[in-house]
Amino acid sequence: MFSPCAETGLELSSNPRFRQPSHPPPPFQAFPKGAVLAQDLLKTSLYTTHLAMGARTVPFGGWDMPVQYSGVLAEINAVRTAVGIFDVSHMGRLYITGPKATEFLDWVLTGSAHSLAVGRARYCFICNETGGVIDDTIFYRLEQDRYLLIPNAGNRNTVVTWFQRWLAEKFPSGCEIGDRTMDTALIAVQGPQAAKLVDRLGRLSDGSPTSSLRPFSWGEGLLKGKKFFVGRTGYTGEDGFELVVPASNAVSVWEALVDGGALPCGLGARDVLRLEAGFPLHGHEIDEETSPIEAGLQRFVRFDKEYVGAQVLRQQREEGVQRTLVGLTISGRSAPREGYAILGEGRVQVEEVGRVTSGSYSPTLDTSIAMGYVLERYATPGQTLAIDIRGRVIQGEVVPLPFYTRAK
Amino acid sequence: MNPNDRRYSKEHEWVLVDDAAAGKATAGITHYAQDQLGDVVFVELPKLGAAVKFMGKMGEIESVKSVSDLFSPVSGEVIEINERLLDHPEIANQDPFGEGWLIRVAMSDASEIDNLMTAEEYEAFTSGLS
């Protein structure tokens, strides 16, 4: 999702003076082949609204997206204590429709489509033949033979190509993929006051309040008199909703949410929120070379059906993996950044036992946190490890994920 | 916006000679710097008594999403550090030219300051940056 700006994507400043120093060398190439030119970046239907509201934007997954409005700390705080909104229209909206839609999704997803009831949603992975993660996704069962699937922004084209390949190979004319990313908007409304806010603005078609939706279910209704789709989903670790509206209605819905008290938030805040909640980000914790088993995400993987990558995943579950994703808390506020070495007591001396995949100061917990891969024998909670923060070796401890769980 | 009483470096630090007779100066980061960084969450400063060099690295400043080196705009000995800033790094955002100062230095060569930009020159310099 972060490519092509893997490790630099969410810094505020375009001035190299205020970007990450080159020590240690970045783990991924920032701009693999030819930097993305500003005029080639896609813009969401809310783009001019963001600029008018003072947002600062950065290239992200091929889009020019808001990274912050009022300030990352204030935005994180709004989502944890009140309500914040995010334009996440850069993520894809793929509609999969046809008599073989369920069978097809069961083949390309690690989660089960056939056992998902109409009206419900599920988080899982799209894996390749070696169990690596092409993308992570939330998909909604709209009807018996119709689904909405949300891929990450930077992976949308890869996912569509991957799906087309398997459709042609295994399910010819079994279903169709409709990409509605460009003519719809996706707005996330997140935080403990999200339910109150969406209830004030609209109702579901049957007249019931929007907040009557259970987590990981969806509905349709009228918001400010306009039709909208709403899932009780999100990626911040808070209660919340994700709204799909026609692109032409996006600005009025956004403004209504702001008028209703929501704080506009950017991708900078979103990245810290998902990290605090222990959620992986594609291109960081998970990628085509990393399996959900290594990432400790087997709860989103079915082992009782056949699909792309299933054999490898089953084998990894039985035989174990060499390295595994852990959460680390680090004393102080200096943040481990992606690519930094994780150090442990080896048999002879202190040695590198892993690498950080994401790290940040966590304002919610008031300590620094990180996720990273370490050798299996260092992965037990309570294990003391250290992180080399640009030459300073700072003590840390393996902790169970997530770092943050909301009070229910 | 950039006070006229001090000089500015290309690395976005300022230096104010507040006791010319004793050769003492205070240094900090500019408004432009704090704006580019975003919310500052961690500041690492040199120790009291440490020697700092003109445009040499003297510490680090981190915001939620980035980290940058701090460079000393003068050479000399560190005679005071802003302890309050270490516990309340947000002051660097709120008042970079005042309460958010970083260190005080007993300068070893006050003439170095002549190599730095005036407020007007710094204004022109930053307006040419993205």
Side-chain angles (χ1 to χ4, degrees):
Chain A
M1 170 159 161
F2 270 85
S3 60
C5 318
E7 84 287 2
T8 54
L10 290 178
E11 291 158 294
L12 284 182
S13 180
S14 53
N15 183 338
R17 168 73 179 93
F18 302 104
R19 300 176 76 87
Q20 306 286 2
S22 56
H23 169 83
F28 303 116
Q29 196 118 40
F31 299 97
K33 275 188 195 113
V36 180
L37 299 175
Q39 65 264 31
D40 293 338
L41 292 171
L42 299 169
K43 295 176 173 68
T44 77
S45 47
L46 288 163
Y47 185 75
T48 50
T49 306
H50 297 321
L51 295 187
M53 294 180 77
R56 205 173 290 181
T57 66
V58 294
F60 183 86
W63 296 70
D64 196 10
M65 294 301 293
V67 64
Q68 93 164 25
Y69 292 80
S70 42
V72 174
L73 295 180
E75 293 165 25
I76 292 167
N77 187 52
V79 173
R80 290 284 180 245
T81 62
V83 55
I85 49 171
F86 301 82
D87 177 14
V88 283
S89 305
H90 59 312
M91 300 176 83
R93 263 83 65 211
L94 303 179
Y95 289 83
I96 292 138
T97 312
K100 295 243 166 117
T102 302
E103 214 180 311
F104 165 70
L105 287 176
D106 266 333
W107 178 250
V108 292
L109 299 177
T110 63
S112 161
H114 70 264
S115 69
L116 185 69
V118 173
R120 303 282 296 162
R122 177 164 282 159
Y123 174 83
C124 67
F125 305 101
I126 302 160
C127 280
N128 58 30
E129 289 98 329
T130 57
V133 179
I134 291 172
D135 204 4
D136 58 340
T137 186
I138 292 177
F139 71 109
Y140 304 80
R141 191 165 195 173
L142 305 180
E143 296 163 25
Q144 195 61 25
D145 294 328
R146 184 167 162 79
Y147 296 83
L148 166 61
L149 184 142
I150 313 286
N152 279 305
N155 293 334
R156 175 164 58 103
N157 292 336
T158 311
V159 167
V160 170
T161 306
W162 180 255
F163 281 4
Q164 297 290 8
R165 178 192 141 184
W166 286 111
L167 278 181
E169 224 164 275
K170 272 187 79 94
F171 308 92
S173 55
C175 58
E176 281 176 357
I177 300 167
D179 186 343
R180 300 282 306 278
T181 308
M182 302 313 288
D183 61 348
T184 58
L186 181 62
I187 299 171
V189 186
Q190 302 282 298
Q193 290 168 23
K196 237 187 266 174
L197 176 58
V198 295
D199 278 351
R200 277 209 306 276
L201 296 181
R203 286 196 160 257
L204 299 178
S205 304
D206 63 4
S208 58
T210 309
S211 66
S212 65
L213 288 172
R214 286 186 296 149
F216 278 85
S217 52
W218 63 268
E220 279 172 325
L222 290 179
L223 191 126
K224 301 291 281 179
K226 308 252 170 68
K227 263 186 85 169
F228 79 120
F229 169 95
V230 53
R232 194 158 195 167
T233 49
Y235 214 61
T236 60
E238 292 301 327
D239 183 23
F241 301 82
E242 292 177 295
L243 316 178
V244 182
V245 298
S248 53
N249 292 348
V251 172
S252 69
V253 169
W254 183 266
E255 285 171 349
L257 290 164
V258 173
D259 290 346
L263 189 74
C265 302
L267 296 182
R270 188 172 165 86
D271 190 43
V272 177
L273 290 160
R274 69 92 195 163
L275 176 61
E276 289 181 337
F279 297 156
L281 185 60
H282 196 267
H284 297 250
E285 284 70 38
I286 45 177
D287 57 33
E288 298 205 14
E289 271 84 54
T290 311
S291 84
I293 310 297
E294 292 172 304
L297 298 165
Q298 47 269 42
R299 65 190 179 280
F300 305 111
V301 174
R302 292 289 283 244
F303 296 100
D304 58 354
K305 63 163 191 164
E306 285 309 317
Y307 56 93
V308 185
Q311 273 188 334
V312 177
L313 298 179
R314 212 172 281 132
Q315 191 183 343
Q316 285 184 347
R317 185 181 68 152
E318 281 157 21
E319 295 173 4
V321 288
Q322 294 255 304
R323 51 173 201 154
T324 185
L325 187 73
V326 295
L328 292 158
T329 54
I330 300 96
S331 47
R333 295 176 130 215
S334 185
R337 311 276 170 177
E338 182 174 7
Y340 288 11
I342 303 173
L343 310 172
E345 291 278 349
R347 288 187 183 87
V348 187
Q349 57 188 21
V350 172
E351 56 193 24
E352 181 175 328
V353 300
R355 287 261 163 167
V356 172
T357 50
S358 296
S360 176
Y361 166 67
S362 160
T364 310
L365 306 172
D366 192 24
T367 188
S368 282
I369 57 173
M371 290 199 277
Y373 282 93
V374 298
L375 297 172
E376 181 69 41
R377 64 178 181 278
Y378 294 95
T380 315
Q383 168 79 48
T384 302
L385 293 171
I387 296 180
D388 181 348
I389 300 184
R390 300 180 297 284
R392 271 179 289 132
V393 175
I394 312 283
Q395 288 293 315
E397 187 187 329
V398 175
V399 296
L401 291 170
F403 301 102
Y404 165 84
T405 313
R406 72 185 159 102
K408 302 233 164 120
Chain B
M1 148 159 358
N2 297 299
N4 276 316
D5 57 0
R6 60 197 79 192
R7 293 296 188 104
Y8 298 87
S9 78
K10 287 191 170 163
E11 299 291 352
H12 310 281
E13 284 91 13
W14 55 261
V15 57
L16 171 68
V17 178
D18 38 22
D19 187 345
K24 290 176 182 171
T26 303
I29 62 164
T30 64
H31 172 80
Y32 175 87
Q34 70 79 24
D35 182 60
Q36 291 292 308
L37 285 164
D39 292 331
V40 174
V41 297
F42 178 77
V43 181
E44 191 196 34
L45 297 175
K47 296 215 168 15
L48 268 184
V52 288
K53 276 207 191 109
F54 180 66
M55 297 322 291
K57 181 177 169 177
M58 66 161 182
E60 286 183 351
I61 187 162
E62 290 190 42
S63 64
V64 181
K65 300 309 300 180
S66 67
V67 50
S68 292
D69 288 335
L70 293 169
F71 299 96
S72 177
V74 283
S75 301
E77 183 191 329
V78 178
I79 52 170
E80 213 179 325
I81 61 170
N82 189 350
E83 301 273 358
R84 210 175 132 230
L85 186 65
L86 301 179
D87 293 328
H88 300 280
E90 65 278 6
I91 304 171
N93 294 115
Q94 293 157 0
D95 191 8
F97 292 122
E99 295 293 310
W101 63 278
L102 302 175
I103 58 169
R104 279 196 90 212
V105 180
M107 295 183 287
S108 56
D109 181 2
S111 72
E112 284 172 344
I113 289 185
D114 299 336
N115 300 315
L116 299 173
M117 288 176 274
T118 63
E120 200 180 328
E121 288 164 342
Y122 180 67
E123 203 100 10
F125 173 66
T126 52
S127 68
L129 302 171
S130 55

